[in-house]
Amino acid sequence: MSETARKENFNQYAGNGILDVDAIRAQFPILQEKVHGNDLVYLDNGASSQKPLAVTEALSRYYASQHANVHRGVHELSDRATEAYENARKIAQKFVNARHAEEIIFVRGTTEGLNLVAESYGRDKLQPGDEILVSEMEHHSNIVPWQLIAERTGSVVKMIPMDDAGEILFDEYQQLVSEKTRIVAVTYVANSLGTVNPIREMTSLAHEVGAVTVIDAAQAAPHVALDVARLDCDFLALSGHKMYGPTGIGILYGKRELLSKMPPYQGGGEMIRQVTFEGSTYADIPHRFEAGTPNIADAVGFGAACEFMWETGIDTIARHEQSLLDYIHERANQMDDVRMYGTAKLKAGVFAFTLNGIHAHDIGTILDRQGVAIRVGHHCAMPVMRHFNIAATARASFAVYNTHAEIDRMFDALDDARELFGV
Ligand code: C6P
């Protein structure tokens, strides 16, 4: 592509100028790294995003001046740590627009949040013959926990199919929902396709038959303003590390009336009221679901990540990423040998593709040599690969610090791959 064409493309898609990408990038020191002698182009944000100084500084501030164990000590530092931890819970409450702070459970990430609901709510409520509806585009962490609990309770997992654009077939969903349906587990944004699902409509239909919805918001949290009150979903799980926060921390939101009746997920310190050898009683929510010393520092870092997103503006982030997505689609559409996966009308953050004549893994390796980091493989979404009858795709996924010029770098590296493979 010529320099002029590139500039035209850039101007067309550069958005309205509200986002100062250079200023944003300056907050992410890792973006200055060289990879194989090239400037890093980090397009693997769906797997894990990079961290701004606001987050790493919050972590070191916490360890330098606030750390002790929470909810236990009578001393000043324990009070500081407890306050910082519980303040992070309030930030998380605001981040998803929950009504009550105790509706937020700190977990390791989306995977643990979904397993918690399957184990606690599922084990308690599911009867033989009950049905759990799970969409075809789910990540394995919103499939396997349901299969595990179905095996133990005699309930059945049924798939809500999608079409070739990667959109849920809503008519089929309507057909599947019945008085047997107890749980509908669906992703807000699909990690392998980028589809944004109609969560409010799906929830409202599930509620008509008395089922609950469990929303996997792992890929939505970095790109979409979350609002559990508007969605009216019953549970929602997300991971901090995909939304500029630390690894090892995430949240599970659950409606208070549901969480407060659910049995514990794990036993240990912090989650009890009284323990005797005759039996134990359990703490109220949220502590009932937070056995053991929690991940205090990363909860604080998670709070800092939410504040980073607010300060940048979630709408501004979404608009910028949408312009990147439009640009990458536009360029890919001009290439006969590129096939795109995920062409839903509403998409966020993800561009997945294959290139004729070159295996996705080879694309990933060649791009890496040019400093361009993408993800290749089945993306923990094997049913999606099966739908399209492929083994793997290459996936570029965006964050607020990505630029149109980086997309050009990715396409330049694809040209190198074509040349190398003679295709
Ligand atoms: N997807 C990806 O590259 P954890 O590992 O618990 O933080 O997140 C699991 C998970 C759940 N749901 C969705 C929609 C996800 O995308 C992920 C993680 C990464 O797409 C790693 S496989």
Side-chain angles (χ1 to χ4, degrees):
M1 181 183 240
S2 76
E3 249 340 278
T4 335
R6 223 171 241 178
K7 280 207 180 94
E8 272 168 19
N9 264 322
F10 182 84
N11 290 338
Q12 187 182 349
Y13 290 104
N16 54 16
I18 290 175
L19 186 79
D20 181 349
V21 189
D22 289 341
I24 293 284
R25 290 178 70 83
Q27 298 177 53
F28 291 81
I30 203 168
L31 299 177
Q32 303 309 316
E33 285 294 304
K34 296 274 181 210
V35 171
H36 305 300
N38 296 297
D39 290 340
L40 168 67
V41 173
Y42 189 75
L43 294 172
D44 194 18
N45 299 285
S48 199
S49 70
Q50 300 301 345
K51 319 301 168 201
L53 290 169
V55 169
T56 53
E57 283 168 3
L59 286 173
S60 59
R61 217 173 23 248
Y62 168 78
Y63 279 124
S65 63
Q66 294 171 298
H67 176 68
N69 212 329
V70 290
H71 306 133
R72 298 166 205 251
V74 288
H75 54 81
E76 165 69 17
L77 280 184
S78 178
D79 285 347
R80 285 188 205 170
T82 305
E83 198 183 316
Y85 183 65
E86 291 304 330
N87 184 49
R89 197 189 306 281
K90 289 196 193 104
I91 294 175
Q93 173 197 353
K94 195 167 147 206
F95 190 74
V96 298
N97 196 26
R99 285 184 188 85
H100 313 284
E102 66 266 30
E103 294 181 315
I104 304 296
I105 316 288
F106 280 117
V107 288
R108 276 191 296 131
T110 309
T111 304
E112 187 175 43
L114 297 170
N115 276 278
L116 191 162
V117 182
E119 271 298 313
S120 173
Y121 184 86
R123 182 160 42 92
D124 197 38
K125 297 281 185 219
L126 291 168
Q127 304 284 334
D130 283 348
E131 291 179 0
I132 306 161
L133 305 186
V134 174
S135 95
E136 191 176 4
M137 69 183 87
E138 296 310 307
H139 185 277
H140 298 161
S141 35
N142 208 17
I143 301 175
V144 184
W146 304 114
Q147 291 175 328
L148 290 171
I149 202 68
E151 261 173 42
R152 280 162 52 202
T153 56
S155 52
V156 184
V157 176
K158 288 199 163 172
M159 184 189 82
I160 310 165
M162 65 176 184
D163 62 17
D164 290 345
E167 290 183 338
I168 282 192
L169 290 165
F170 208 84
D171 288 353
E172 304 243 3
Y173 171 56
Q174 270 171 321
Q175 298 288 320
L176 279 166
V177 172
S178 75
E179 67 288 349
K180 286 193 201 155
T181 312
R182 304 283 17 108
I183 295 170
V184 175
V186 62
T187 193
Y188 200 159
V189 173
N191 73 320
S192 55
L193 301 165
T195 313
V196 181
N197 281 316
I199 299 301
R200 202 150 81 110
E201 291 72 11
M202 293 186 79
T203 297
S204 134
L205 198 62
H207 285 172
E208 279 178 25
V209 295
V212 297
T213 50
V214 184
I215 308 308
D216 174 347
Q219 298 292 342
H223 310 296
V224 178
L226 297 175
D227 187 344
V228 292
R230 191 186 70 80
L231 297 173
D232 197 27
C233 57
D234 300 285
F235 300 97
L236 178 141
L238 58 84
S239 302
H241 71 97
K242 294 188 196 290
M243 45 166 281
Y244 313 105
T247 53
I249 191 78
I251 60 164
L252 171 70
Y253 156 82
K255 280 186 180 159
R256 184 164 70 174
E257 53 274 28
L258 295 171
L259 283 178
S260 57
K261 294 196 193 100
M262 282 159 52
Y265 164 57
Q266 292 177 331
E270 290 272 306
M271 53 72 72
I272 50 89
R273 192 185 299 274
Q274 189 86 40
V275 177
T276 67
F277 277 99
E278 285 70 48
S280 301
T281 53
Y282 309 117
D284 290 335
I285 60 165
H287 306 297
R288 188 188 310 160
F289 295 106
E290 293 181 358
T293 299
N295 187 352
I296 313 162
D298 292 322
V300 171
F302 176 83
C306 295
E307 283 169 343
F308 165 79
M309 288 186 69
W310 283 328
E311 271 158 33
T312 311
I314 298 179
D315 285 352
T316 308
I317 296 173
R319 219 177 302 121
H320 175 68
E321 291 170 346
Q322 207 60 50
S323 90
L324 295 172
L325 207 51
D326 289 348
Y327 181 51
I328 207 165
H329 283 172
E330 172 79 14
R331 284 213 55 191
N333 274 330
Q334 293 159 7
M335 298 167 189
D336 291 339
D337 57 353
V338 169
R339 172 153 182 210
M340 242 188 280
Y341 297 85
T343 49
K345 283 181 280 306
L346 269 183
K347 276 188 68 172
V350 166
F351 170 72
F353 67 101
T354 52
L355 186 66
N356 287 350
I358 313 181
H359 192 280
H361 283 91
D362 293 324
I363 294 175
T365 309
I366 295 165
L367 263 56
D368 175 58
R369 300 304 303 175
Q370 305 290 332
V372 180
I374 60 162
R375 185 170 173 193
V376 297
H378 55 63
H379 312 290
C380 301
M382 283 185 172
V384 172
M385 302 300 122
R386 184 169 163 190
H387 178 102
F388 293 107
N389 200 21
I390 49 175
T393 65
R395 182 190 72 178
S397 50
F398 301 122
V400 65
Y401 40 71
N402 289 128
T403 66
H404 299 73
E406 288 183 316
I407 292 173
D408 291 334
R409 283 269 314 276
M410 185 192 91
F411 283 117
D412 289 348
L414 280 182
D415 281 341
D416 291 348
R418 287 185 184 97
E419 204 172 309
L420 200 71
F421 277 77
V423 295

